[in-house]
Amino acid sequence: MKYKIQEKSQCRWCEGITKQGIGPIKRPNWNRWQCCNCGAIGYNDLPSEEELNELYLNAWVENDTSDRFATGSTDLGISRSLLKSVQFNHDGRCLDYGGGTGQLASVLVEFGCVDVYVFEPYGNNPGLSISWVKDLRVLDGEKFDWIFMTEVIEHITDPVAELAKVYNLLSDHGALVITTPNSLGWRARIERFRWRESQNPTHINLFSEVALKKCLSEAGFSNIKRCYQPVQYKASGLKRFLLSITQVLGVDGGLRIIAKR
Ligand SMILES: [Zn+2]
């Protein structure tokens, strides 16, 4: 494994001091650390590819709603709202990197985009007029104006290496949009290692804004901004209003980052 914290007491991203904590209930031996400085959360030892495959396979096969973590939850409404909040201009060549079941791609098509690609080895094109790519090598030398990674980066064992590949796929004026859980959101601050996202064993890294910016700059990105514009998730009434406030304040459960080259 390329990525391993140098010492168990040091943060991978800011080299701050960490505290040790429990692993997910489903994998109690996979102990975690959290940085006292930047708030990032990681595993002491990276799970092997076999261990992760087993986890994903069981999540798909077992008819257990607690294992929803493998199937994702970005639906059409969230996708539309996300595109508005990042001021998506409905133009250019788009790539949804880790596109899951194609929800975001279908909204891109709905918004009038005619040049849409999805990279997703585990899924299939649900019948959209887009290009569905299962092997990233097919995209060698291609450039995109918009690349989306929604709820993907937290699952990746070597995020810097993965983002470096994405960097090479981005056009000179292109934008990468990343969404991922926020390890310094209000719920994470209260629940710490018991936080739902930390309890999901497939979440290798949980980022704070500082940690994700560090990760992106290690991968080559230089123009990195956080988006505070509210995105409408599945909430209504007062709940929706309160969620919008936490989003504007930056203490909600999700990070939305726009990175350019
Ligand atoms: Zn740190």
Side-chain angles (χ1 to χ4, degrees):
M1 289 295 161
K2 278 182 235 163
Y3 158 76
K4 194 166 185 177
I5 48 172
Q6 290 136 357
E7 285 172 39
K8 288 185 180 178
S9 59
Q10 201 176 42
C11 171
R12 162 67 178 83
W13 307 110
C14 77
E15 293 172 16
I17 292 169
T18 62
K19 54 180 174 289
Q20 296 293 303
I22 51 162
I25 287 169
K26 281 180 182 289
R27 292 292 185 276
N29 299 328
W30 295 9
N31 290 330
R32 291 203 188 262
W33 53 265
Q34 181 167 31
C35 178
C36 302
N37 181 43
C38 79
I41 296 173
Y43 279 129
N44 286 340
D45 299 298
L46 268 186
S48 68
E49 211 170 306
E50 293 74 32
E51 287 172 315
L52 285 170
N53 282 341
E54 184 197 15
L55 205 52
Y56 281 112
L57 202 65
N58 287 339
W60 283 106
V61 174
E62 286 168 18
N63 203 5
D64 175 358
T65 50
S66 66
D67 274 341
R68 259 191 57 237
F69 55 74
T71 51
S73 61
T74 304
D75 67 7
L76 295 173
I78 296 170
S79 300
R80 287 186 194 108
S81 183
L82 173 68
L83 290 179
K84 279 176 195 149
S85 82
V86 299
Q87 295 175 323
F88 176 65
N89 61 7
H90 302 205
D91 204 17
R93 204 158 195 230
C94 300
L95 170 63
D96 189 9
Y97 195 101
T101 56
Q103 301 266 308
L104 179 68
S106 74
V107 172
L108 289 168
V109 171
E110 176 188 304
F111 278 21
C113 300
V114 290
D115 205 0
V116 179
Y117 283 71
V118 167
F119 165 58
E120 176 55 76
Y122 301 106
N124 291 298
N125 188 346
L128 302 164
S129 50
I130 57 169
S131 304
W132 194 283
V133 174
K134 293 199 173 213
D135 183 344
L136 202 58
R137 286 172 296 188
V138 173
L139 298 178
D140 265 355
E142 302 281 349
K143 297 287 179 191
F144 295 89
D145 303 303
W146 289 89
I147 302 180
F148 299 91
M149 288 179 93
T150 60
E151 310 300 303
V152 169
I153 195 74
E154 64 273 19
H155 296 274
I156 290 171
T157 47
D158 190 344
V160 172
E162 202 75 20
L163 287 172
K165 290 185 209 167
V166 173
Y167 181 86
N168 288 328
L169 290 168
L170 200 63
S171 69
D172 287 346
H173 302 288
L176 164 67
V177 175
I178 293 188
T179 74
T180 190
N182 175 13
S183 70
L184 286 180
W186 67 269
R187 198 179 284 278
R189 285 174 191 257
I190 294 169
E191 297 175 350
R192 298 191 178 273
F193 297 105
R194 278 184 291 277
W195 177 40
R196 187 184 68 179
E197 309 297 347
S198 182
Q199 282 295 317
N200 180 332
T202 66
H203 288 172
I204 313 291
N205 287 289
L206 289 153
F207 294 93
S208 60
E209 178 183 349
V210 168
L212 186 53
K213 283 181 171 172
K214 181 82 193 319
C215 180
L216 279 158
S217 64
E218 279 184 32
F221 292 88
S222 55
N223 182 347
I224 308 163
K225 289 197 177 92
R226 183 167 176 190
C227 176
Y228 293 92
Q229 185 75 28
V231 172
Q232 285 173 10
Y233 292 95
K234 288 171 193 156
S236 58
L238 181 63
K239 248 184 162 176
R240 173 178 286 191
F241 174 70
L242 292 173
L243 176 60
S244 299
I245 291 177
T246 60
Q247 289 178 329
V248 171
L249 295 174
V251 294
D252 64 301
L255 285 173
R256 291 165 296 285
I257 300 275
I258 303 172
K260 298 181 181 179
R261 291 179 68 121

